[in-house]
């Protein structure tokens, strides 16, 4: 009879070491709403229960006669950044958690600057700078260690090249009988540490201050000139005040060098101040210095630091919405009220004014009001593509870090990486754009792209494991001037969207 032994599951690395990481937030509950819109569903329909029909009718009539309050958010348009700023903390969290709208001004994506400050931690940018500094410091320390190892190796190899015993030289000589014989002479070896004997024609230079030892300076027999005049006073001054002047190096400076300026003794005294609590105390250089902290008796002692009061942190970060995100929230969903920073009154800009304002600010530099709007304005093309993908359920984010216009997420950045990258391209397929030769030349110049550009963009997306999508927006013919103020919905309905998915073809992986 065979038996089977069941082994317990292997614990994780964190459990093996007895460490538990921080608990991950429940993103499924936080981002449960795909859009910042409150939904009130009707009761379920039960076919075999007639009371369910009555419940549905009552709920429907209640919402029509007394509709629930509709929550709106507020923001203001900044002409300096050509974006919409959201400064309210509650609005920032609501727009980010319900649809991933906007970007924190002091964060990478999610506005988390205030939370990091409350945790007394560092932001992601500061962590990156710290890692780079540590890596740079590690390289410097490694280079210093390698240089020290080379120096130690050279110091160990140099004494071996010098013989430690007496050097033996072979000389030729003759004895008294005239016979030639070999004679060996022993020469003492010169050590590296032995000083070079001074020549009779040269004068020995005085040693440097850093090479002088205390015993050599205090003892008269160690110095060739005898006792140094004024050295004791200079030594006491150095011990108290630092190193103001070099020491005297001659005992008869005034007599031996009459033409030069005589050396004056240092008579300056310095006042030592240790802390603000004992600024008035002056220490005599002849008396030992007593530490103010360990002073006995009634010596003043520094007061202890008082605990700092808790100061409420102000949120210096704001949520920054792009023009397409703001227009989608204001016009399509109707939950965002936008104010202008150029006007002093608190007037909400209507969607028609927002459309004209955003079309002018989509150019760089911004266009003036005197220039009429065109059907291929950058904002018209980008918003048509943004609204198209948002209506299909994708979470649309900016793709400037990958060289594209948009990134498409299945549920959002908190759940997975972007699967598709989108480039918006205008398409002039209408007969109006091919009417004259000048129009053809202008359209050819606007839509001019090279194969090198396409290969470069496609290669970047392949490296980051994303599928490139070319979103062609068919530009309609311009409307007559008398129909310039047409309905916004009818205006955008004239734009058509065509998506083309491009995949990088590699011969080594695509062979038959």
């Amino acid at each position: 009879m065979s038996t089977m032994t069941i082994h317990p599951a292997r614990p994780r690395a964190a459990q093996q070491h007895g460490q538990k990481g921080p608990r991950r937030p429940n993103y499924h509950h936080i981002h449960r709403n795909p859009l910042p819109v409150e939904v009130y569903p009707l009761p379920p329909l039960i076919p075999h229960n007639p009371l369910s029909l009555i419940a549905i009718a009552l709920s429907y009539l209640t919402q029509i006669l007394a509709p629930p309050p509709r929550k709106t958010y507020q923001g203001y348009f900044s002409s300096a950044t050509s974006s919409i700023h959201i400064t309210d903390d509650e609005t920032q969290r609501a727009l980010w958690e319900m649809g991933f709208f906007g970007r924190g001004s002091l964060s990478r994506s999610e506005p988390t600057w205030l939370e990091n400050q409350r945790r007394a931690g560092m932001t992601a940018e500061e962590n990156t700078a710290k890692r780079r500094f540590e890596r740079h410091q590690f390289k410097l320390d490694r280079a210093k260690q390698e240089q020290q190892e080379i120096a130690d190796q050279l110091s160990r190899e140099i004494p071996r090249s010098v013989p430690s015993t007496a050097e033996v030289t072979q000389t030729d000589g003759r004895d008294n009988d005239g016979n030639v014989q070999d004679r060996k002479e022993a020469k003492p070896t010169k050590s590296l540490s032995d000083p070079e004997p001074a020549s009779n024609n040269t004068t020995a230079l005085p040693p440097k201050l850093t090479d002088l030892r205390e015993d050599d300076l205090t003892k008269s027999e160690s110095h060739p000139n005898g006792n140094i005049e004024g050295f004791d006073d200079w030594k006491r001054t150095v011990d108290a005040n630092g190193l103001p002047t070099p020491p005297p190096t001659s005992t008869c400076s005034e007599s031996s060098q009459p033409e030069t300026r005589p050396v004056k003794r240092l008579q300056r005294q310095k006042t030592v101040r240790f802390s603000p609590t004992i600024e008035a105390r002056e220490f005599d250089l002849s008396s030992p210095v007593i530490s103010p902290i360990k002073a006995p008796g009634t010596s003043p002692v520094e007061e202890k630091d008082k605990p700092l009061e808790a100061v409420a942190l102000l949120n210096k970060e704001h949520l920054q919405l792009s023009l397409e995100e703001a227009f989608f929230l204001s016009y399509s969903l109707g939950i965002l009220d936008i104010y202008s920073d150029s006007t002093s009154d608190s007037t909400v800009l209507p969607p028609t004014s927002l459309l004209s304002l955003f079309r002018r600010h989509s150019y760089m530099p911004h266009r003036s009001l005197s220039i009429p709007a065109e059907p291929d304005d950058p904002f018209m093309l980008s918003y048509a593509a943004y609204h198209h993908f948002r209506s299909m359920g994708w979470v649309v984010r900016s793709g400037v870090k990958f060289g594209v216009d948009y990134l498409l997420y299945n549920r959002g950045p908190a759940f997975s990486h972007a699967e598709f990258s989108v480039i918006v391209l205008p398409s002039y397929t209408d007969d109006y754009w091919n009417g004259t030769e000048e129009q053809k030349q202008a359209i050819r110049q606007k839509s001019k792209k090279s194969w090198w550009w396409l290969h470069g963009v496609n290669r970047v997306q392949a490296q980051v494991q994303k599928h490139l999508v070319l979103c062609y927006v068919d530009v309609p013919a311009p409307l007559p001037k008398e129909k310039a103020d047409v309905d916004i919905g009818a205006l955008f309905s004239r734009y058509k969207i065509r998506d083309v998915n491009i995949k990088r073809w590699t011969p080594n992986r695509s062979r038959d």
Side-chain angles (χ1 to χ4, degrees):
M1 181 177 180
S2 60
T3 59
M4 180 176 62
T5 304
I6 301 177
H7 298 279
R10 179 176 297 178
R12 297 182 180 179
Q15 298 178 358
Q16 291 178 357
H17 297 284
Q19 299 177 357
K20 293 183 179 180
R23 187 175 181 180
R24 187 177 182 182
N26 188 3
Y27 291 117
H28 295 280
H29 177 73
I30 296 175
H31 305 283
R32 60 187 180 275
N33 297 328
L35 291 175
V37 177
E38 295 292 338
V39 180
Y40 302 93
L42 297 175
L45 174 62
I46 304 176
H48 60 273
N49 187 3
L51 295 179
S52 63
L53 298 176
I54 300 176
I56 293 175
L58 291 176
S59 178
Y60 184 75
L61 291 176
T62 303
Q63 294 186 14
I64 291 179
L65 298 177
R70 187 179 184 181
K71 189 173 184 179
T72 58
Y73 306 99
Q74 296 179 355
Y76 70 93
F77 173 77
S78 175
S79 57
T81 60
S82 297
S83 61
I84 285 75
H85 294 181
I86 308 295
T87 57
D88 183 55
D89 298 344
E90 182 180 358
T91 305
Q92 294 182 24
R93 298 308 310 173
L95 295 181
W96 174 260
E97 293 177 357
M98 296 183 289
F100 300 96
F101 290 94
R103 181 184 299 272
S105 60
L106 300 179
S107 305
R108 286 187 174 181
S109 183
E110 182 180 359
T112 57
W113 179 84
L114 183 61
E115 299 178 2
N116 295 335
Q117 294 298 321
R118 288 174 178 175
R119 291 197 305 262
M122 294 189 299
T123 61
E125 293 80 3
E126 293 174 348
N127 289 329
T128 303
K130 181 181 178 181
R131 288 194 302 268
R132 291 177 179 175
F133 175 77
E134 292 177 353
R135 185 163 57 248
H136 179 68
Q137 190 67 26
F138 170 75
K139 293 180 180 179
L140 292 179
D141 296 342
R142 183 177 60 185
K144 292 180 180 179
Q145 184 178 2
E146 292 177 355
Q147 293 179 358
Q148 184 64 27
E149 292 177 357
I150 295 174
D152 296 343
Q153 184 68 20
L154 292 177
S155 63
R156 289 192 299 267
E157 293 177 356
I158 288 177
R160 297 179 182 178
S161 61
V162 181
S164 57
T165 58
E167 183 181 359
V168 180
T169 58
Q170 186 75 19
T171 59
D172 294 339
R174 296 178 181 273
D175 54 2
N176 297 329
D177 300 334
N179 299 325
V180 179
Q181 61 179 4
D182 294 338
R183 184 174 55 185
K184 297 181 179 181
E185 295 180 358
K187 295 182 180 180
T189 303
K190 181 180 65 175
S191 175
L192 295 177
S193 58
D194 296 340
E196 188 72 22
S199 176
N200 298 331
N201 300 330
T202 58
T203 304
L205 297 177
K208 296 182 181 179
L209 179 61
T210 56
D211 298 334
L212 294 176
R213 294 178 299 177
E214 186 176 356
D215 345 337
D216 300 337
L217 295 176
T218 54
K219 296 180 180 180
S220 59
E221 60 270 16
S222 61
H223 198 276
N225 295 332
N227 191 13
I228 301 178
E229 180 182 359
F231 178 77
D232 297 335
D233 298 338
W234 176 86
K235 187 66 170 60
R236 287 195 297 268
T237 307
V238 167
D239 294 339
N241 301 340
L243 190 62
T245 55
T249 57
S250 177
T251 58
C252 53
S253 301
E254 298 179 2
S255 59
S256 60
Q257 298 177 358
E259 69 279 358
T260 59
R261 187 175 181 179
V263 180
K264 296 183 179 180
R265 298 181 182 180
L266 183 62
Q267 301 293 339
R268 182 172 58 88
Q269 302 293 334
K270 183 179 180 181
T271 303
V272 182
R273 306 181 190 277
F274 288 92
S275 63
T277 58
I278 52 174
E279 288 182 351
R281 173 178 294 186
E282 295 184 0
F283 294 90
D284 188 6
L285 296 178
S286 61
S287 61
V289 179
I290 303 177
S291 174
I293 304 299
K294 300 180 181 180
T298 59
S299 59
V301 183
E302 296 182 357
E303 300 179 357
K304 297 182 179 180
D305 297 337
K306 299 180 179 180
L308 297 177
E309 299 180 357
V311 181
L313 292 176
L314 297 178
N315 191 5
K316 301 180 181 180
E317 185 179 31
H318 64 268
L319 190 69
Q320 193 170 358
L321 300 177
S322 63
L323 301 180
E324 293 79 13
E325 292 174 335
F327 196 76
F328 179 80
L329 295 173
S330 178
Y331 168 72
S332 300
L333 302 182
I335 61 171
L336 181 62
D337 296 336
I338 301 177
Y339 303 88
S340 178
D341 59 348
S342 59
T343 58
S344 58
D345 55 347
S346 58
T347 304
V348 179
L349 298 177
T352 54
S353 301
L354 288 177
L355 180 61
S356 176
L357 180 65
F358 292 169
R359 293 178 76 169
R360 291 188 291 105
H361 279 265
S362 61
Y363 289 92
M364 187 59 65
H366 311 321
R367 286 192 172 185
S368 61
L369 291 171
S370 59
I371 301 178
E374 299 179 1
D376 57 347
D377 289 337
F379 176 76
M380 300 298 293
L381 303 178
S382 60
Y383 180 76
Y386 183 88
H387 190 98
H388 168 70
F389 292 112
R390 271 287 183 178
S391 61
M392 296 176 63
W394 293 97
V395 176
V396 186
R397 302 283 297 168
S398 174
V400 65
K401 58 182 177 181
F402 296 125
V404 295
D405 295 322
Y406 295 122
L407 296 177
L408 302 183
Y409 294 85
N410 187 14
R411 294 189 60 186
F415 301 97
S416 61
H417 293 282
E419 186 176 356
F420 297 95
S421 56
V422 181
I423 293 181
V424 181
L425 298 175
S427 177
Y428 301 91
T429 57
D430 194 272
D431 297 337
Y432 171 80
W433 305 109
N434 299 325
T436 61
E437 190 63 29
E438 296 179 356
Q439 289 181 345
K440 292 181 181 180
Q441 186 68 19
I443 296 306
R444 192 179 299 109
Q445 189 67 24
K446 287 182 179 180
S447 58
K448 182 180 180 181
K449 298 291 182 182
S450 62
W451 283 104
W452 301 107
W453 168 83
L454 181 60
H455 285 307
V457 174
N458 194 18
R459 183 177 180 85
V460 171
Q461 308 314 310
Q463 293 295 327
V464 295
Q465 299 180 0
K466 290 175 175 51
H467 298 282
L468 178 61
V469 177
L470 299 181
C471 181
Y472 289 96
V473 181
D474 291 337
V475 181
L479 295 173
K481 294 183 179 180
E482 58 271 9
K483 295 183 180 180
D485 297 334
V486 74
D487 182 47
I488 297 178
L491 179 62
F492 279 103
S493 63
R494 303 173 66 239
Y495 291 84
K496 308 298 180 182
I497 305 295
R498 292 183 292 110
D499 298 334
V500 178
N501 189 4
I502 296 181
K503 185 177 180 181
R504 182 167 174 246
W505 180 75
T506 55
N508 293 335
R509 298 182 181 180
S510 303
R511 292 179 179 176
D512 295 336

